[in-house]
Amino acid sequence: MSKKIGVTEQTLLKDSIFRIGKVFSVEGRVIKISVDKQKNASHLLYKGELLKNVSVGSNLKIVKGFIAIIAKVESEQIREDQIFNVKYSKAENKIHRILVVKLLGYIENNKFIGGINELPLIDNECHLLDKEEAQSIHNFVPEEDVPLELGTLALETGQTISLGVNALFASHIGIFGNTGSGKSYTLAKLYRTLFKRFENEKKFRENAKFLLFDFNGEYNDDNAIVEAKHVINLSTKTQEGNEKLEFSEADLLDVELFSIMASATEKTQRPFLARTLNFYKTVSSSDDALRFFKNMLRKRVVDILKMSDKVRALLLLDYLKEILPKSYDDNGIERDLTEDLEFHNKSAEFMLDGVFLRSTPNEIENTIIHRHVDSYEFTDNFISKIIDFLYLQLIYDVISSRAQNEHIAPAINKLRSFQKDIGKVIRVVKDESSDFWNDNYFTIINLNNANLNIKKLVPLLVSYKLYSEHKKKKINQTNSSLNIIIDEAHNILSYASQRESETWKDYRLETFEEIIKEGRKFGVFLTIASQRPSDISSTIISQLHNYFLHRLINSKDINAIEKTVSYLDKVSFEALPVLATGTCVVAGLAAQIPVIIKVNSIEKKYEPNNKTIDLVSKWSDNIDNNEK
């Protein structure tokens, strides 16, 4: 008949099995533990189950009276006994195993609390964690939050990892990893899990907004992440039938923005742009803006044709031709708007049919170019309209000796390079009336078919616009939130780009840095994913609250993470170059301690379109692609 073991005996048995050694050195957070010699096996047997013994990366418990202090093993050492009697012991027993651990927190009322509350004492016993204690340490979700299960511990089978909705999505998130490491899959998993949990909640659909910038067309499939979404496909490759973003004129009438697009110099071109935009606002606010503009054009025609400086006058007439529409004769042949004019060099005066125009200014009304002003109409392309105002302002500034052509013209020419591209992706309206979200909580802007200029400009414009609108809403005490998601974030958050001016780069980074610094109090949060964290502004990376770190091999990227991420321990950091695909280190406010997790799979139809091509199946005639 078997003897039933009492509670006390069970406790003693457990302590004897789970005890691994004693503390023999305390140096701040760094603790050294001497492992009992009988606990050097890789596994221990307890109640018929194999327990994994302590090793580098394991968590353990240091018992100080009634306090359980939790620490993580960062390294192992060995120490050899100086006094050893071979006659009575085995040779291997003279080796002492030393664990170097760092404190993580403590357990109080069966709950793990991160941070140092107590330091251990010399000779405090150290124990393996039992199942309940291990679960307590990895329970990151407080009772008031909603858990989202994202994966399982990579080093311990069966231990699921969940993060709280508030701790994760009311924060800035960084997802980093080399190509093929599972970075985009993790991003999709995060938001797929969130949407699956809340998409049927009425308040969620009313108050939550999510915007994803997709640079490579990975998320624009009908089912990617979620079916209920609004996808805006932008393209600079075609002119007709393009989808366009709607902006009001007020969104774009910003001297900083135009200075950037025109690569304007600080002392000459920027003040000129400011004068032009003020001029545009003055004209637009009049009762009849087109009539106002035509009258200004007629005045400039008169001013030019009364000039005595032939070179400057002809230059300014060329600028007028840039503003006015083309003119054609009865045969459909384009005619020169100044073909009826001649310049009398001796008198330094323009003539029309032998009549001197400066002497008889009333005759100027009979010139082709003056009469042709009547045919001018504002264009639908906002940038083209602004360029017309720029030319008219330049004409006035040159006549009044306020500016020189060679100083201003390059800025206008630079802006003209944006003209067609912006017209393909942006529609400007007087008062924005359409719903950007199209009655959805999730919008994707697909920039896969856009050129580099538009890929940099559109995220800046849209993010700043939505952020500004959200700030106003928050002032009115609304409950809405906005999550801006940027995949391949190095495209727009890089500080090392050589393809743009310093002004453009600074403005772009300052805009997103403001969002990441100030956005939290207005309910605006950023999620960025990138394969090159070293290219992204260190200010932005350091302001993130939660990190999902996949495999990183490049030394610059690893150094960037080391310098800016304060949540990582030594073991997690050194694991970055060797993480398996789909495995990542989770660190930050949502996880009280860094953990390495295997990210759970997504239903196949909701996966992003980012799989690496299978070359064998594509190249081999002997492999059935369907079976593959």
Side-chain angles (χ1 to χ4, degrees):
M1 185 174 180
S2 60
K3 182 181 178 182
K4 190 174 181 180
I5 301 176
V7 176
T8 303
E9 291 173 309
Q10 286 183 3
T11 303
L12 291 174
L13 175 62
K14 180 180 177 181
D15 287 347
S16 67
I17 299 295
F18 278 68
R19 174 195 149 109
I20 59 170
K22 287 186 177 183
V23 174
F24 78 90
S25 173
V26 179
E27 302 171 17
R29 279 186 63 203
V30 179
I31 312 299
K32 292 184 179 180
I33 297 167
S34 176
V35 179
D36 294 340
K37 292 182 179 180
Q38 65 272 28
K39 296 297 175 63
N40 286 332
S42 60
H43 289 80
L44 303 173
L45 185 64
Y46 176 65
K47 291 186 176 180
E49 293 185 8
L50 278 177
L51 302 177
K52 186 179 178 182
N53 197 9
V54 68
S55 60
V56 173
S58 299
N59 297 319
L60 52 79
K61 174 178 67 174
I62 302 173
V63 180
K64 181 183 180 182
F66 296 101
I67 300 171
I69 301 172
I70 305 301
K72 185 171 186 176
V73 181
E74 291 206 336
S75 64
E76 289 192 33
Q77 303 170 359
I78 59 171
R79 186 181 64 186
E80 186 175 347
D81 279 347
Q82 298 300 316
I83 302 173
F84 181 74
N85 190 340
V86 181
K87 182 178 179 180
Y88 299 107
S89 299
K90 296 180 180 179
E92 59 265 26
N93 286 342
K94 68 178 180 178
I95 301 299
H96 278 281
R97 185 177 169 209
I98 306 299
L99 303 179
V100 180
V101 306
K102 279 196 175 178
L103 303 183
L104 299 177
Y106 57 97
I107 293 178
E108 186 176 89
N109 297 325
N110 296 321
K111 290 183 179 180
F112 174 74
I113 301 173
I116 299 176
N117 185 40
E118 292 273 352
L119 289 174
L121 301 173
I122 302 296
D123 271 351
N124 280 163
E125 290 188 351
C126 304
H127 295 254
L128 295 175
L129 299 177
D130 61 28
K131 189 174 181 179
E132 290 74 21
E133 289 168 335
Q135 289 176 343
S136 173
I137 290 173
H138 296 110
N139 180 15
F140 301 135
V141 186
E143 293 180 0
E144 65 274 11
D145 207 344
V146 175
L148 296 179
E149 184 179 319
L150 300 178
T152 57
L153 283 181
L155 303 179
E156 297 179 32
T157 57
Q159 177 68 58
T160 62
I161 295 297
S162 297
L163 298 179
V165 171
N166 282 333
L168 188 56
F169 293 100
S171 75
H172 303 307
I173 303 171
I175 305 172
F176 302 112
N178 291 143
T179 300
S181 63
K183 163 180 52 68
S184 296
Y185 196 92
T186 296
L187 187 151
K189 174 63 180 177
L190 283 178
Y191 285 92
R192 171 63 192 158
T193 307
L194 176 69
F195 296 160
K196 188 176 180 180
R197 169 62 179 79
F198 284 96
E199 63 184 348
N200 294 321
E201 301 278 353
K202 182 181 178 182
K203 285 186 176 180
F204 175 78
R205 302 181 70 88
E206 290 176 351
N207 296 328
K209 299 298 180 187
F210 300 86
L211 170 64
L212 190 154
F213 292 107
D214 182 7
F215 289 96
N216 297 324
E218 297 179 7
Y219 304 93
N220 65 329
D221 289 349
D222 291 342
N223 296 320
I225 301 181
V226 69
E227 295 102 328
K229 59 179 180 284
H230 177 213
V231 180
I232 304 173
N233 296 298
L234 301 181
S235 175
T236 54
K237 296 181 179 180
T238 58
Q239 182 67 49
E240 300 298 328
N242 286 354
E243 293 184 64
K244 295 183 180 181
L245 296 167
E246 284 197 355
F247 286 86
S248 67
E249 290 188 353
D251 294 327
L252 301 178
L253 285 174
D254 181 76
V255 67
E256 288 283 357
L257 177 62
F258 275 92
S259 297
I260 286 162
M261 289 192 291
S263 298
T265 57
E266 186 69 26
K267 293 185 178 180
T268 54
Q269 295 171 350
R270 181 187 167 92
F272 169 76
L273 290 173
R275 292 197 297 274
T276 303
L277 294 182
N278 287 333
F279 174 39
Y280 180 85
K281 293 173 184 176
T282 300
V283 174
S284 299
S285 62
S286 64
D287 294 335
D288 190 339
L290 181 59
R291 181 182 178 187
F292 191 156
F293 189 79
K294 285 182 178 180
N295 287 336
M296 297 298 293
L297 275 174
R298 294 187 184 99
K299 287 181 181 179
R300 298 293 84 82
V301 171
V302 173
D303 291 340
I304 294 170
L305 295 183
K306 290 167 67 176
M307 291 176 66
S308 58
D309 187 331
K310 179 181 179 181
V311 175
R312 279 206 306 166
L314 292 177
L315 176 66
L316 298 184
L317 285 173
D318 287 339
Y319 289 156
L320 277 176
K321 294 175 187 177
E322 293 289 345
I323 300 173
L324 296 172
K326 303 292 185 185
S327 177
Y328 301 92
D329 61 20
D330 294 337
N331 296 318
I333 299 174
E334 184 180 346
R335 64 175 180 175
D336 186 355
L337 295 177
T338 58
E339 64 183 13
D340 58 339
L341 296 171
E342 57 181 312
F343 193 84
H344 194 278
N345 292 320
K346 188 174 181 179
S347 300
E349 191 171 353
F350 279 101
M351 298 173 60
L352 174 67
D353 297 329
V355 178
F356 289 98
L357 296 180
R358 188 166 64 245
S359 305
T360 53
N362 291 337
E363 287 296 319
I364 293 177
E365 296 180 3
N366 297 321
T367 61
I368 293 174
I369 194 167
H370 192 281
R371 294 199 309 269
H372 195 59
V373 170
D374 290 335
S375 62
Y376 178 83
E377 296 289 339
F378 286 137
T379 177
D380 291 335
N381 187 305
F382 177 69
I383 300 297
S384 297
K385 189 193 296 187
I386 292 294
I387 288 174
D388 288 347
F389 276 78
L390 288 169
Y391 276 123
L392 188 57
Q393 183 68 45
L394 178 57
I395 292 169
Y396 174 78
D397 284 2
V398 171
I399 290 173
S400 59
S401 299
R402 196 172 185 177
Q404 295 183 2
N405 159 69
E406 57 269 22
H407 293 161
I408 303 300
I412 300 178
N413 293 333
K414 179 68 175 178
L415 192 58
R416 291 181 69 171
S417 67
F418 271 92
Q419 184 176 341
K420 289 184 179 179
D421 290 341
I422 290 180
K424 292 177 182 178
V425 299
I426 290 177
R427 181 184 298 110
V428 180
V429 293
K430 277 285 185 182
D431 298 306
E432 194 171 348
S433 55
S434 65
D435 177 20
F436 173 83
W437 302 97
N438 198 29
D439 291 328
N440 281 284
Y441 60 85
F442 185 31
T443 292
I444 295 175
I445 297 181
N446 178 20
L447 294 161
N448 188 41
N449 291 319
N451 62 24
L452 185 62
N453 283 337
I454 294 302
K455 282 183 176 180
K456 289 182 178 291
L457 183 64
V458 164
L460 173 66
L461 291 178
V462 176
S463 298
Y464 188 74
K465 166 187 166 60
L466 295 179
Y467 172 63
S468 300
E469 290 176 353
H470 213 78
K471 284 173 68 175
K472 294 176 183 177
K473 288 181 182 178
K474 210 64 181 177
I475 291 173
N476 296 327
Q477 301 300 313
T478 61
N479 295 318
S480 60
S481 64
L482 170 65
N483 288 72
I484 299 173
I485 309 159
I486 309 172
D487 196 13
E488 305 299 342
H490 49 272
N491 283 289
I492 57 171
L493 300 181
S494 171
Y495 66 86
S497 174
Q498 301 300 319
R499 297 183 180 181
E500 59 192 358
S501 68
E502 289 297 323
T503 305
W504 179 208
K505 190 188 309 178
D506 291 344
Y507 182 69
R508 174 171 48 80
L509 290 178
E510 284 171 6
T511 298
F512 284 101
E513 285 174 4
E514 180 186 346
I515 293 175
I516 207 164
K517 288 177 182 176
E518 306 294 334
R520 191 173 187 179
K521 60 188 175 187
F522 300 116
V524 180
F525 309 100
L526 275 182
T527 296
I528 63 174
S530 175
Q531 56 187 275
R532 292 305 308 271
S534 59
D535 279 353
I536 296 178
S537 162
S538 58
T539 301
I540 290 176
I541 294 182
S542 64
Q543 292 291 324
L544 299 172
H545 305 112
N546 291 294
Y547 299 85
F548 293 80
L549 305 173
H550 287 264
R551 182 174 60 250
L552 289 169
I553 297 174
N554 186 284
S555 58
K556 288 185 178 179
D557 295 327
I558 294 174
N559 290 336
I561 294 298
E562 183 180 22
K563 290 178 182 177
T564 54
V565 181
S566 60
Y567 303 104
L568 279 187
D569 56 60
K570 182 180 178 182
V571 174
S572 301
F573 176 74
E574 292 182 347
L576 293 179
V578 294
L579 289 173
T581 299
T583 301
C584 65
V585 177
V586 180
L589 298 180
Q592 297 182 32
I593 58 174
V595 289
I596 301 176
I597 72 167
K598 174 70 175 175
V599 178
N600 287 347
S601 60
I602 311 173
E603 302 95 315
K604 194 169 183 61
K605 70 175 184 176
Y606 298 115
E607 292 179 355
N609 182 22
N610 66 339
K611 290 185 178 178
T612 304
I613 186 172
D614 185 347
L615 294 179
V616 173
S617 66
K618 301 297 181 184
W619 292 352
S620 177
D621 296 330
N622 300 321
I623 295 179
D624 187 339
N625 287 339
N626 292 326
E627 291 181 3
K628 187 74 177 176

